[in-house]
Amino acid sequence: MPNTGFPTQGPTLRELGEKEVIRRITHAAPSAVNGDDAAVLYPASPNSRVVATTDMLVEGRHFRRDLTTPRLLGRRAVTQNFADVEAMGARPIAVLLSLSAPMDLPVDVLTEFAGGIAEEIDGYAAELVGGDVTAGQNLVISITAIGSLGGNRPPLTLDGARAGQQVIAHGAIGYSAAGLALLESGLELPDEFAPLIEGFQTPTIRPGSGVVARSAGASSMTDNSDGLIVDISTLAERSRVNIDLDKEAIAPDELLLAAGELVGIDPWKWVLEGGEDHTLMGTIHGEAPVGFRVIGQVAKDSKDHKSNGERAGVVTVDGQPPAFRQGWESFA
């Protein structure tokens, strides 16, 4: 059975007060530089540049207590931020945590959440180096991730795709959306679907994958957070190219097909629209780097569009419009 639910018993934030709540969080995710007015971080390598990103998780909008646990939510919060750092070709080195929570929330929710953060960042040799807590009506979590971009190669940006390159991907596509659909179905779920449930609750990327792709010569990258077609379309638009995805390379696997049959959903919808897999997706000339696979081709450049009137930013699947093309919209 899936692991879900938040603690409902034990001392609350109101009963313990701010200082004790912070002490318990820092105990769950310790760091030698956390606890002063601000953390001082040192460059990880000569001539390195700082990469910073932030993301929020709002209860009822981005997560539900009955579909996850605080520990799993902490791991997911790290992944969705570290994926953005990795997508620049950088190495994550630190995390800041700010949160607003109801005062009657059991403190175990926050300590387990911090423990999940510590568990996930350990694989990156990163640390939770500071943050802030305050009272609020709903549980709102904000993670700021800091990374180090070493060497003299340019960062992997959204406008770096070039004609003739291959589109590459690292990680599962469609698993997170499938896992969410399975949990929401309310059905008794066989153990075989555990990878899909995990894909939703704790999507993962291999630490250092973005660095590997940048070192191998990738010129652009993003992560699959809003949906495959939406995110690849953004990359294509910013780079003024068209991209054709290989249908066979992105086709739902047997596990997605079985899940689709169980809940009555076309698994192609999860693959093309799902999002939140945080799969790293980029472009490169030559072979795919270690851990990546080829999923398509960059078709046209801006000069072709100017000469023949075609529109840039078009994404197709085997030359045809995708069957599903919606994705996450923050203000929908």
Side-chain angles (χ1 to χ4, degrees), residues 155-167:
L156 303 181
T157 55
L158 288 168
D159 59 359
R162 298 292 179 263
Q165 288 186 320
Q166 299 197 92
V167 182

Side-chain angles (χ1 to χ4, degrees), residues 30-158:
S31 168
V33 298
N34 190 357
D36 214 314
D37 292 312
V40 178
L41 305 178
Y42 295 91
S45 60
N47 301 318
S48 64
R49 288 156 283 176
V50 175
V51 175
T53 185
T54 190
D55 213 342
M56 298 180 70
L57 288 165
V58 179
E59 184 174 6
R61 180 64 173 170
H62 302 107
F63 70 91
R64 284 170 40 186
R65 300 188 189 196
D66 60 324
L67 299 182
T68 189
T69 69
R71 183 183 66 84
L72 297 176
L73 186 62
R75 292 185 57 192
R76 175 183 164 194
V78 170
T79 296
Q80 70 182 53
N81 281 272
F82 277 11
D84 287 335
V85 174
E86 292 266 7
M88 301 300 293
R91 182 172 72 85
I93 59 174
V95 161
L96 296 166
L97 166 66
S98 293
L99 57 88
S100 172
M103 289 190 290
D104 60 357
L105 186 76
V107 71
D108 285 350
V109 172
L110 299 191
T111 55
E112 288 183 22
F113 177 79
I117 289 178
E119 183 178 331
E120 194 66 26
I121 64 179
D122 183 62
Y124 294 85
E127 296 182 17
L128 175 61
V129 298
D132 189 28
V133 295
T134 188
Q137 291 185 338
N138 300 306
L139 181 56
V140 179
I141 300 159
S142 178
I143 294 280
T144 297
I146 301 169
S148 174
L149 188 73
N152 56 9
R153 287 183 179 270
L156 303 181
T157 55
L158 288 168

